[in-house]
């Protein structure tokens, strides 16, 4: 049973470009969470999705950030017009239900130059 | 005041030592408590998942929760160099999926 798969592992974007981060949950998991980790800081919740639904996006910046989890395919975290402050590690986690332990992927490290 | 406080370390111990890692929290509604291990430039790996107060043991790891003191601990027995990593505590209230993480404690086990 493969774990949570994230790609790409590393992503470099110039300021103003778009970044697309992908997450395939563990088999049998329909709940997906995105977290952001800045250097020397803990992980911060961004958004919680189930298939085709955003359940809670209270941790997402109001502008430029969006997330989706379509019926088919991976969950996508999209950052438009990236700025240097978006540079961070973005982690996806999944769980079989909304109130059980979550398992994390290896993360995507976004660098904005 | 942060909701979850965790000493960042680094904590250096000799191989074979018992390691104690701790977090304090302010929200009495937290019911689920987790410990994750994160190696450098890797994703967090779930070590322990506990509900409410008490102890839970898994191999060399023991998690303790003291809700009256709002204090959780992770003990590692017979520590190994391979245990060198950052240990993150996380917690959430019931009926929610949002984990609140500590900033992590860096542990180094010296051979």
């Amino acid at each position: 049973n493969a774990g949570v798969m994230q790609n790409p592992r590393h992503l470099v974007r110039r300021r103003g470009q778009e970044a697309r981060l992908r997450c395939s949950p563990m088999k049998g998991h329909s709940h997906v969470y995105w977290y952001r980790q800045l250097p020397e800081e803990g992980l911060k919740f961004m958004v919680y999705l189930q298939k085709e639904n955003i359940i809670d996006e209270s941790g997402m910046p109001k502008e430029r950030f969006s997330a989706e989890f379509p019926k088919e395919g991976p969950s996508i975290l999209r950052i438009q017009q990236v700025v240097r402050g978006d540079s961070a590690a973005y982690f996806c986690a999944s769980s079989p239900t909304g109130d059980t332990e979550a398992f994390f992927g290896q993360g995507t490290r976004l660098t904005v130059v | 005041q942060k909701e979850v406080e965790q000493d960042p370390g680094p904590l250096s111990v000799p191989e074979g030592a018992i390691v104690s890692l701790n977090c304090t929290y302010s929200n009495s509604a937290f019911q689920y408590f987790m410990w994750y291990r994160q190696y450098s430039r890797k994703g967090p790996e779930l070590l322990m998942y506990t509900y409410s107060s008490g102890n839970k043991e898994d191999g060399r790891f023991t998690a303790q929760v003291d809700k009256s003191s709002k204090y959780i601990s992770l003990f590692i027995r017979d520590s190994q160099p391979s245990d060198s990593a950052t240990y993150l505590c996380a917690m959430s209230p019931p009926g929610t999926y949002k984990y609140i993480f500590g900033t992590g404690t860096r542990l180094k086990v010296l051979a």
Side-chain angles (χ1 to χ4, degrees):
Chain A
N1 186 11
V4 177
M5 304 300 292
Q6 290 187 249
N7 67 82
R9 291 293 309 277
H10 301 275
L11 182 61
V12 179
R13 284 288 177 265
R14 295 186 185 279
R15 281 178 292 171
Q17 290 185 318
E18 178 180 287
R20 279 180 176 248
L21 289 62
R22 295 174 185 78
C23 169
S24 295
M26 289 177 69
K27 188 175 181 181
H29 289 193
S30 60
H31 299 249
V32 165
Y33 319 83
W34 286 92
Y35 285 78
R36 177 164 62 176
Q37 187 175 38
L38 293 168
E40 306 303 322
E41 292 190 18
L43 286 86
K44 304 290 186 193
F45 169 82
M46 298 182 74
V47 62
Y48 163 40
L49 309 102
Q50 294 182 39
K51 282 287 186 180
E52 301 184 274
N53 290 303
I54 296 174
I55 306 302
D56 184 342
E57 56 182 348
S58 59
M60 289 266 276
K62 293 288 186 282
E63 298 178 350
R64 303 187 298 108
F65 284 71
S66 62
E68 62 177 16
F69 189 14
K71 187 177 180 181
E72 301 290 339
S75 175
I76 305 286
L77 179 67
R78 182 183 178 204
I79 311 172
Q80 295 178 289
Q81 299 175 310
V82 296
V83 300
R84 288 230 170 101
D86 297 333
S87 296
Y90 292 83
F91 290 97
C92 169
S94 73
S95 65
T97 64
D99 58 357
T100 53
E101 60 265 44
F103 297 88
F104 282 79
Q106 295 299 307
T108 293
R109 278 160 184 81
L110 172 66
T111 301
V112 179
V113 297
Chain B
Q1 182 190 6
K2 291 181 181 178
E3 276 194 287
V4 179
E5 298 276 1
Q6 187 174 9
D7 188 334
L11 178 63
S12 292
V13 300
E15 183 176 357
I18 296 174
V19 176
S20 173
L21 303 164
N22 312 295
C23 287
T24 58
Y25 62 95
S26 57
N27 188 345
S28 58
F30 288 147
Q31 291 278 10
Y32 295 97
F33 303 92
M34 285 69 66
W35 284 97
Y36 287 85
R37 177 175 62 195
Q38 187 175 26
Y39 291 112
S40 180
R41 307 189 75 75
K42 300 289 187 183
E45 173 193 4
L46 181 65
L47 289 176
M48 302 290 278
Y49 178 81
T50 55
Y51 172 74
S52 198
S53 284
N55 293 1
K56 183 176 181 178
E57 189 174 319
D58 185 0
R60 295 186 296 113
F61 299 93
T62 299
Q64 280 187 355
V65 175
D66 182 347
K67 291 195 70 186
S68 62
S69 301
K70 298 192 184 73
Y71 188 88
I72 68 170
S73 300
L74 178 70
F75 297 97
I76 307 174
R77 289 182 298 280
D78 188 24
S79 56
Q80 303 295 311
S82 58
D83 294 328
S84 298
T86 296
Y87 290 79
L88 303 163
C89 63
M91 46 199 79
S92 69
T96 183
Y97 32 79
K98 275 191 240 190
Y99 290 1
I100 310 298
F101 279 85
T103 51
T105 299
R106 281 184 293 153
L107 171 68
K108 189 167 185 178
V109 181
L110 305 171

